[in-house]
Amino acid sequence: MKLLRLSPIALAVAAFAVHAQETATEPVATVVVSASADASAQGLPSAYAGGQVARGGRLGLLGNVDIMDTPFNTTNYTLGIIQDQQARSVGDVVANDPAVRSARGFGNYQELYMIRGFPVYSDDMAYNGLYGLLPRQFVASELLERVEVLRGANSFVTGAPPGSGGIGGSINLLPKRAANKPLTQVTAGVETGGQGYLATDVSRRFGEENRLGVRVNAVRRDGDTAVDRESRELSVYAVGMDYRGRGYRLSADIGHQDHQLRGARPSVTVNDALPIVAAPDSDSNYAQPWTFSGERDTFGTLRAEADLPGGATAWAALGMRKGDEFNIISSPTVTALNGATTMTRFDNVREDDVRTGEVGVRTELKTGAVSHKLSASASTFHAESKNAYAMSDFAGFPSNLYRPVDVAAPSSAFFTGGNMNNPLLTQKTIASSLAIADTLGFLDERVLVTVGARYQKLKDYGYDYGTGAPNAAYEEGELTPVAGIVYKPVKSVSVYANYAEALQKGPVASGVNIVNQGEVFAPYVSRQKEVGAKYDSGKLGMSAAVFTTSRPSGAVVDNRFGIYGAQRNRGVEMNVFGMPMQGLRLLGGLTLLDAEQESSGKDVIGVPKTQLNLGADWDVPGVQGLALNARVLYTSKQYANDANTQQLPSWTRLDIGANYLLRFMDRDVTLRARIDNVTDKRYWASAGGYPGYGYLVQGNPRSVVVSATVDF
């Protein structure tokens, strides 16, 4: 077992936290301050019964909206479920959502989230409402207070995301803030493979009426994982601050994440002439030992909100990120039923520079018997990406999926694009938008009608990898409207409908053996119709929705990536959450999907027809502080190629856990244990994610993680 190498900063934060707790005096809190991710007057929506999800969440320029008042289907996961399930990343959190399945980016280890059968790339997630600010491939859960999932097209609500997502849904991540009560937590743990874990979470409020809040998080993971010969190192540091003045509010965040993988298990491609082969042993690793993936990101945000005369509120926000990535990847292609493969080496380096901002105003008024909630905003986004890549001989080298063969790293100088030591600018994306919305209330707010539109202008420029010369560009604008209605026949029931559009940034041709590498495609619009109903008893919540979405689709034909035909996804969603009886918490649901290529009538790559989640958390009677939990995930068959001749089997996974809160030496201590994939099932978890490709990602093996959290 590897020993956990603790960074000096993590140790220093822990030591400072303990000292601060021992010497701090109890503040007199004459102003009530709740944890609010944006230091807004609205505050953070309260948790629903059971504490696993929230009563509402942020809907872009509309602000925080209660789940019963929005014409969309949303779920907002809280810090409570993040901690109790010992989630490592956003992917672990959204595993609770029946409309979401995690996949992987093409040719890397990027977390990718399929919502309603459409990809949401990790760099399309918003950080407190702003795009492009968080690390591209992996976002550590310790940065987050909440994970808000909006299902459905959302370009009006949040603007067009920078990475071609936003059609099936969006994910907004909220940073942590200091609450009234001082917090000093230290968590240590270990998981299968010997990976160690240490985290500190410290917050205080200072000054007159405790107006200034500071929260510091430091995280370190280091060691092998449950996959044979795979190791991970993660360092995260984040500071969140807020100030609540008289008539104005400020907040700021700065963070750094360093994430490195060595010998990580790669994606697998199966030759199109073969059926899908059986997945290897659950902990088997067919990676070459010299493969590597590293990502370092530093990011920050600043947000301000001010109260204006007449009850209006204005806000402004800006953010920046600088990111560096370096990868040495070798992914196998299966060429025979016995698991024989060919592998090549692919290296790439990437540098990102992102700047984004938003301003807006929101107010409420009445015209006769009709209430109005008016919102308007303007946003801007600017990103530059420098890239270079290098490949080995396309003939590759042999190995076997079931009996991997290690080879010396081949030269990657056979085919290159740009200078790996000095990558040039290869892509620039500039986006701007103006949006306006009005939510009209009729019949004492029993009927809510939301109408609005966002005009968005996208500029995308491509440059030659070797010379930096421009080789592709477009500048296009589009108006994306929205219309939604909510009707509440009784207090506990909402019926809703919406029409929404998604403006999707055109893709960039990329991948191995693509002859038009780097070609930039123009943006296109997707259209969604949805109707649904929601129920809220105060203790148990339920929702159901029927939707259909269509969009142009990308594919690879004769080694050339292009926009060919269209994709139509339609389906039904049902969700349940809350605490129907004391001590029992439920979270889960069912999604039925039909994703079709309209030109051929075939099913779309990587979209299962059935996704089922069943989760329960139970307080054990007679044992104060002890809770047991279990979760079952079911995913039906899915196709891995456009012709539908390759099909992944369905899979079912069982996860269990236990949490025990006790007092030890006059301290609150929380002990947690969790086993994911209890039966150690071997299975292909997903196919594809990037348009036109059906690469396979194997599900993780059985993994045991235990930790202890001490409140000082």
Side-chain angles (χ1 to χ4, degrees):
M1 176 187 297
K2 283 191 174 181
L3 293 176
L4 176 64
R5 298 193 298 271
L6 304 177
S7 70
I9 296 180
L11 288 172
V13 171
F16 164 77
V18 174
H19 177 72
Q21 176 67 24
E22 291 174 347
T23 59
T25 59
E26 275 300 312
V28 179
T30 58
V31 173
V32 176
V33 181
S34 61
S36 174
D38 54 6
S40 69
Q42 291 179 311
L44 201 64
S46 60
Y48 196 81
Q52 297 182 323
V53 301
R55 285 213 57 91
R58 183 190 181 99
L59 288 179
L61 79 162
L62 302 178
N64 287 326
V65 182
D66 188 271
I67 53 176
M68 300 296 285
D69 294 338
T70 172
F72 303 101
N73 197 5
T74 63
T75 303
N76 310 289
Y77 299 97
T78 66
L79 180 62
I81 195 169
I82 294 172
Q83 292 179 328
D84 284 347
Q85 294 186 349
Q86 301 186 79
R88 305 170 188 86
S89 69
V90 174
D92 289 340
V93 180
V94 298
N96 294 288
D97 200 304
V100 184
R101 286 295 183 265
S102 293
R104 184 182 285 175
F106 181 75
N108 57 34
Y109 300 97
Q110 178 186 42
E111 280 196 353
L112 180 151
Y113 318 101
M114 300 291 289
I115 305 180
R116 291 185 172 178
F118 292 107
V120 175
Y121 305 97
S122 57
D123 41 357
D124 282 343
M125 292 189 295
Y127 186 51
N128 206 9
L130 297 177
Y131 284 126
L133 297 182
L134 289 170
R136 292 183 61 250
Q137 298 205 28
F138 178 93
V139 179
S141 63
E142 291 85 1
L143 292 166
L144 311 175
E145 178 73 29
R146 290 195 178 166
V147 176
E148 300 180 335
V149 177
L150 165 64
R151 305 177 188 90
N154 54 82
S155 290
F156 159 75
V157 173
T158 56
S164 303
I167 296 175
S170 68
I171 299 175
N172 183 44
L173 307 177
L174 300 185
K176 295 177 177 179
R177 290 284 177 263
N180 282 332
K181 184 179 179 180
L183 173 71
T184 305
Q185 283 188 346
V186 177
T187 302
V190 66
E191 65 180 88
T192 301
Q195 183 162 130
Y197 172 68
L198 179 67
T200 58
D201 188 353
V202 182
S203 72
R204 296 288 187 275
R205 301 204 70 85
F206 303 96
E208 180 186 0
E209 298 180 324
N210 283 337
R211 294 182 177 276
L212 174 64
V214 179
R215 190 161 182 175
V216 179
N217 279 262
V219 181
R220 176 69 177 178
R221 294 184 185 272
D222 189 7
D224 293 344
T225 73
V227 176
D228 186 37
R229 303 189 305 165
E230 178 183 277
S231 66
R232 177 193 303 271
E233 291 184 33
L234 173 72
S235 298
V236 178
Y237 311 106
V239 179
M241 296 170 285
D242 69 279
Y243 183 81
R244 301 181 70 89
R246 302 185 187 280
Y248 68 94
R249 292 152 295 278
L250 306 172
S251 66
D253 297 275
I254 185 167
H256 176 79
Q257 178 178 290
D258 185 344
H259 185 225
Q260 300 184 21
L261 298 170
R262 290 180 173 82
R265 186 161 66 186
S267 304
V268 175
T269 301
V270 178
N271 188 294
D272 205 45
L274 298 175
I276 297 298
V277 298
D281 291 342
S282 64
D283 62 350
S284 177
N285 193 353
Y286 25 85
Q288 292 296 319
W290 36 264
T291 54
F292 173 82
S293 179
E295 180 187 27
R296 293 183 177 89
D297 293 272
T298 301
F299 50 92
T301 66
L302 180 64
R303 182 175 289 270
E305 183 180 272
D307 300 329
L308 303 179
T313 302
W315 77 88
L318 59 89
M320 299 181 66
R321 175 176 70 89
K322 286 188 176 292
D324 296 279
E325 299 177 28
F326 175 65
N327 301 287
I328 302 175
I329 297 169
S330 184
S331 299
T333 297
V334 178
T335 58
L337 292 176
N338 67 358
T341 65
T342 60
M343 303 179 73
T344 58
R345 174 178 172 176
F346 178 80
D347 299 1
N348 78 291
V349 61
R350 174 178 177 132
E351 299 176 6
D352 286 331
D353 190 342
V354 177
R355 303 187 300 275
T356 183
E358 178 188 52
V359 295
V361 62
R362 189 180 300 117
T363 191
E364 298 183 16
L365 55 89
K366 296 199 74 170
T367 55
V370 180
S371 66
H372 298 265
K373 294 181 180 179
L374 294 164
S375 305
S377 71
S379 64
T380 182
F381 177 88
H382 183 107
E384 294 185 356
S385 178
K386 298 179 180 180
N387 288 270
Y389 62 90
M391 302 181 187
S392 65
D393 188 334
F394 292 148
F397 52 89
S399 186
N400 191 286
L401 199 62
Y402 308 115
R403 298 175 299 279
V405 178
D406 292 346
V407 302
S411 170
S412 61
F414 178 79
F415 188 81
T416 62
N419 184 342
M420 292 285 290
N421 295 317
N422 184 30
L424 301 179
L425 177 67
T426 55
Q427 187 176 15
K428 181 191 299 183
T429 300
I430 301 173
S432 58
S433 72
L434 297 171
I436 187 169
D438 186 8
T439 298
L440 300 89
F442 303 89
L443 303 176
D444 294 326
E445 309 297 302
R446 290 175 58 197
V447 177
L448 302 172
V449 177
T450 299
V451 293
R454 183 183 293 267
Y455 177 76
Q456 303 178 87
K457 191 169 185 179
L458 296 179
K459 302 178 182 179
D460 214 22
Y461 307 94
Y463 303 87
D464 184 85
Y465 277 71
T467 66
N471 61 12
Y474 65 72
E475 297 185 17
E476 295 195 19
E478 191 72 37
L479 186 70
T480 54
V482 70
I485 184 170
V486 174
Y487 170 55
K488 302 178 184 178
V490 294
K491 182 179 179 180
S492 60
V493 175
S494 288
V495 181
Y496 74 92
N498 69 61
Y499 171 80
E501 295 184 356
L503 179 63
Q504 183 174 12
K505 170 187 166 183
V508 179
S510 63
V512 180
N513 298 339
I514 297 298
V515 297
N516 60 330
Q517 184 87 229
E519 183 177 351
V520 180
F521 291 83
Y524 43 82
V525 173
S526 302
R527 295 172 173 82
Q528 169 193 287
K529 300 173 184 176
E530 178 181 352
V531 296
K534 303 173 185 177
Y535 170 76
D536 174 18
S537 72
K539 293 183 177 180
L540 182 68
M542 293 185 287
S543 68
V546 179
F547 61 89
T548 180
T549 306
S550 61
R551 70 147 191 187
S553 59
V556 178
V557 177
D558 296 329
N559 291 338
R560 175 175 289 273
F561 180 86
I563 306 301
Y564 305 103
Q567 174 180 340
R568 188 267 301 134
N569 288 19
R570 59 188 175 193
V572 178
E573 294 171 347
M574 291 171 280
N575 298 275
V576 62
F577 51 89
M579 189 166 59
M581 56 184 293
Q582 187 63 37
L584 178 64
R585 292 164 288 277
L586 300 179
L587 182 62
L590 172 69
T591 296
L592 304 176
L593 280 170
D594 178 21
E596 181 180 287
Q597 307 170 48
E598 293 188 343
S599 58
S600 65
K602 301 289 188 180
D603 286 352
V604 175
I605 290 174
V607 182
K609 291 186 179 297
T610 304
Q611 299 174 178
L612 175 66
N613 289 36
L614 298 174
D617 192 298
W618 177 55
D619 295 335
V620 178
V623 186
Q624 186 174 0
L626 177 62
L628 305 179
N629 62 78
R631 180 180 66 189
V632 176
L633 306 180
Y634 170 77
T635 302
S636 66
K637 299 176 181 179
Q638 53 188 296
Y639 290 104
N641 64 347
D642 286 328
N644 289 179
T645 59
Q646 295 180 321
Q647 188 178 63
L648 279 66
S650 63
W651 57 269
T652 303
R653 194 183 91 195
L654 172 64
D655 307 327
I656 62 174
N659 304 313
Y660 185 39
L661 175 63
L662 69 154
R663 292 286 292 179
F664 181 72
M665 296 181 66
D666 203 31
R667 306 289 184 189
D668 286 335
V669 177
T670 305
L671 304 178
R672 297 184 175 96
R674 185 168 183 83
I675 307 175
D676 288 332
N677 191 7
V678 173
T679 62
D680 203 23
K681 183 178 181 63
R682 58 177 186 172
Y683 63 100
W684 297 118
S686 65
Y690 191 83
Y693 287 87
Y695 51 92
L696 313 180
V697 177
Q698 188 170 351
N700 288 327
R702 178 168 52 224
S703 176
V704 180
V705 55
V706 295
S707 68
T709 299
V710 182
D711 286 70
F712 291 93

